[in-house]
Amino acid sequence: MRLTFLGTSAGAPTPYRNVTGLCLAIEDSRDWYLFDCGEGSQQQLLNTRYSAARLQAIFISHVHGDHCYGLPGLIASANMHGRTAPLTICAPDGIEQFVRTTFMHTDVNNLRFELNFVRSDQPGFFYRDKYLDVSAIALSHRVPSYAYHCREHPPYHLEESQLDKLGVPRGPMWNRLQKGQDQRLEDGSLIRADDVRHPAWAPRQLIIGGDNDQPELLASALPQCQLLVHEATFTEDVLARVGSQYMHSTAAMVAKAAAQAELPNLILTHISQRYRLGSGEHIEHSVEDLRAEARQSYTGQLFMAEDLESYELDREGALTIRKEQN
Amino acid sequence: MRLTFLGTSAGAPTPYRNVTGLCLAIEDSRDWYLFDCGEGSQQQLLNTRYSAARLQAIFISHVHGDHCYGLPGLIASANMHGRTAPLTICAPDGIEQFVRTTFMHTDVNNLRFELNFVRSDQPGFFYRDKYLDVSAIALSHRVPSYAYHCREHPPYHLEESQLDKLGVPRGPMWNRLQKGQDQRLEDGSLIRADDVRHPAWAPRQLIIGGDNDQPELLASALPQCQLLVHEATFTEDVLARVGSQYMHSTAAMVAKAAAQAELPNLILTHISQRYRLGSGEHIEHSVEDLRAEARQSYTGQLFMAEDLESYELDREGALTIRKEQN
């Protein structure tokens, strides 16, 4: 699985970081998913291998502008460039209203594709397509905010000797079992798909968090995951000074939750603009401060996200930075 | 006067051009005005000498997203960065609704500054501050669209010998006359400010157009201007192929209107993404095609706008490109 960061800044853009947006794709596929869509996401996208034509679905964590103000432009440009495939947008209350009233006031009444809004803040929210299952985990922020827990569908192998032993005739029935559909034989006996097939590899799972000041809310889902992408807006010292009213996490808070779950890979993003790259006397707050703070409790693989960086999560669950963008 | 282009692309961004946005400032002042605000304008602004803190007013030409989708983010970031001065936004119907409903749906209810929306599509619209007078000229497009006609206020010099001859006592009365306020002397006679003062130089005037397929609508205002900034989305051959339903201008149409008015300076912008920089066999449509088409009827100074280019319109009305951005 491949992740590409479109923006890594908290709240407002800086010369080096755009606001939040993250592409997720399965290996080298040009089909992809977008997690949050801050202003300028469509511009950042022009520097990646992905285009709105192949966008499978959008997941928005919460209604703050730095996570959603890029939606109307992305959709309008996709329309201008000829997209006709329906587009699913999973988001909490407010996002559909924002997009539809924006379009109403700005003369967008001729979209050539359908927008399917799905409320991700409703109990039982579940997204499934040929690549992914996605569920939502409620977080703690100034407005309702959600993490998205993604689980891939690897291809399945049939256990052929087992099928022969059970007397399942080769042909369409094997195909249906491979797809996960239970089958009944002529003698009335039921063959359960999951008894006669196994995934080609253990499905990768990851969580992409929204704004949140309680990373421990992910405790029950994290142990199944190979990767967490989570905001770390502040270090502890800065949080103590600015106060907790913004309801963001520190690097320490996220690191503790990740360590608790023995998570192998952690990417921190949504970084306050006070943290600069590099170090030295002229830099009061550095990205390295965030990294060092996280390192105090987390010993797994740790990355501080940068704009337009791509990461590869391989089938063994190992995470590496990919240098090329396209 | 200085102009800096934040975006020069029609409809959607490209890797080299953002959507429409233009900064206007008086000479070296860091006080400035924004004309149109497509998505990503706040990001482009980070590459200029201007900041939202010193933004005097915004003028929006029409409701299409590539001219206004950057407004909510620009305003929200200005708020985050501590702006408290009220902000005037002159725009046709729909823009205030777009901004206010966006803020309503996205938890922006704590702006520390006032937004003063002024309907520029109303008869008699007129904006005046210490630097500029701005009026609106109705254009022809798929939705109501406006050009903004800007006229600077140069400083005024008093005609001192004339004042002495008229017996106007030196002091506060001279100050008020210099500011343009007529004064009545003790003997009852009225002194008209414009009889005893003159501008330090002829006020510069320019028109910044919105989307428009009838540049001749500017015919009565253009002869007073030193500069027109206007869209030239297509060349004639491309317009003939795509059809006139998008209601945009060709380079030839704008050039003819500028030539008719004997306009000294013309900048063409809002360029369809099919036109590439440079030339050669692999380039079907080049920006040079637009330039060449305009050159056929226009012999004044002609520029094809590029993102983050700055232009200086000096007090003699001569236009030059400035190399430095900041």
Side-chain angles (χ1 to χ4, degrees), chain A residues 18 39-40 43 64 69 107, chain B residues 18 39-40 43 64 69 106-107:
Chain A
N18 199 35
E39 181 183 353
Q43 283 88 344
H64 284 156
Y69 282 174
D107 190 41
Chain B
N18 199 35
E39 181 183 354
Q43 283 89 344
H64 284 156
Y69 282 173
T106 60
D107 190 43

Side-chain angles (χ1 to χ4, degrees), chain A residues 240-275:
Chain A
R241 207 164 57 238
V242 303
S244 59
Q245 72 275 17
Y246 299 112
M247 300 187 73
H248 286 299
S249 286
T250 63
M253 287 158 60
V254 185
K256 274 171 205 150
Q260 187 81 30
E262 298 180 5
L263 184 82
N265 302 292
L266 174 62
I267 304 177
L268 298 179
T269 183
H270 195 274
I271 295 164
S272 161
Q273 61 187 281
R274 57 170 60 72
Y275 298 98

Side-chain angles (χ1 to χ4, degrees), chain A residues 100-112:
Chain A
R100 295 210 188 273
T101 57
T102 293
F103 285 166
M104 187 176 79
H105 293 308
T106 59
D107 190 41
V108 180
N109 41 36
N110 55 353
L111 279 191
R112 280 175 286 189

Side-chain angles (χ1 to χ4, degrees), chain B residues 35-236:
Chain B
F35 290 81
D36 282 335
C37 185
E39 181 183 354
S41 290
Q42 65 164 329
Q43 283 89 344
Q44 290 288 76
L45 203 57
L46 296 170
N47 299 311
T48 73
R49 64 201 306 272
Y50 305 111
S51 79
R54 299 281 292 268
L55 176 55
Q56 306 296 298
I58 302 176
F59 300 86
I60 301 292
S61 64
H62 67 297
V63 298
H64 284 156
D66 58 320
H67 296 255
C68 69
Y69 282 173
L71 279 173
L74 182 85
I75 296 165
S77 293
N79 188 57
M80 204 175 164
H81 293 142
R83 179 180 176 120
T84 56
L87 179 60
T88 295
I89 302 174
C90 304
D93 190 32
I95 295 295
E96 176 170 8
Q97 296 92 316
F98 156 58
V99 172
R100 295 211 188 273
T101 57
T102 292
F103 285 167
M104 187 177 79
H105 293 307
T106 60
D107 190 43
V108 179
N109 42 36
N110 55 352
L111 280 191
R112 281 174 287 188
F113 57 92
E114 217 179 315
L115 296 178
N116 298 326
F117 284 93
V118 179
R119 283 277 297 274
S120 57
D121 55 348
Q122 295 290 303
F125 161 75
F126 188 66
Y127 172 90
R128 166 168 282 184
D129 67 14
K130 63 179 170 175
Y131 298 114
L132 279 185
D133 287 348
V134 183
S135 57
I137 302 166
L139 303 174
S140 166
H141 193 51
R142 309 197 300 279
V143 293
S145 181
Y146 294 84
Y148 290 104
H149 180 172
C150 307
R151 187 181 187 278
E152 70 170 327
H153 304 305
Y156 277 78
H157 294 320
L158 286 175
E159 289 165 24
E160 305 200 358
S161 60
Q162 178 74 359
L163 285 163
D164 286 337
K165 212 164 73 184
L166 291 165
V168 183
R170 287 174 188 256
M173 205 173 262
W174 280 39
N175 280 337
R176 291 194 292 266
L177 284 164
Q178 192 171 23
K179 288 179 186 156
Q181 300 161 10
D182 298 342
Q183 300 292 309
R184 196 171 291 279
L185 299 185
E186 281 185 7
D187 68 3
S189 62
L190 182 72
I191 309 295
R192 292 190 195 280
D194 284 346
D195 293 342
V196 295
R197 64 171 199 161
H198 61 269
W201 60 86
R204 286 164 286 188
Q205 297 190 45
L206 72 158
I207 292 174
I208 299 171
D211 288 5
N212 178 32
D213 69 355
Q214 293 183 35
E216 61 273 23
L217 290 168
L218 303 171
S220 70
L222 272 184
Q224 307 144 52
C225 294
Q226 289 79 51
L227 170 63
L228 169 65
V229 179
H230 199 282
E231 67 128 312
T233 308
F234 303 125
T235 43
E236 289 282 323

Side-chain angles (χ1 to χ4, degrees), chain A residues 4 8 19 24 27-28 34 36 81 95 103-104 106 111 132-133 144 148 152 157 171 181 193 268 271 278 280 292 311:
Chain A
T4 304
T8 58
V19 285
L24 174 68
E27 328 301 9
D28 290 335
L34 176 60
D36 281 336
H81 293 144
I95 294 296
F103 285 166
M104 187 176 79
T106 59
L111 279 191
L132 280 186
D133 287 349
Y148 291 104
E152 72 170 327
H157 294 319
Q181 299 161 11
L268 298 179
I271 295 164
Y311 292 85

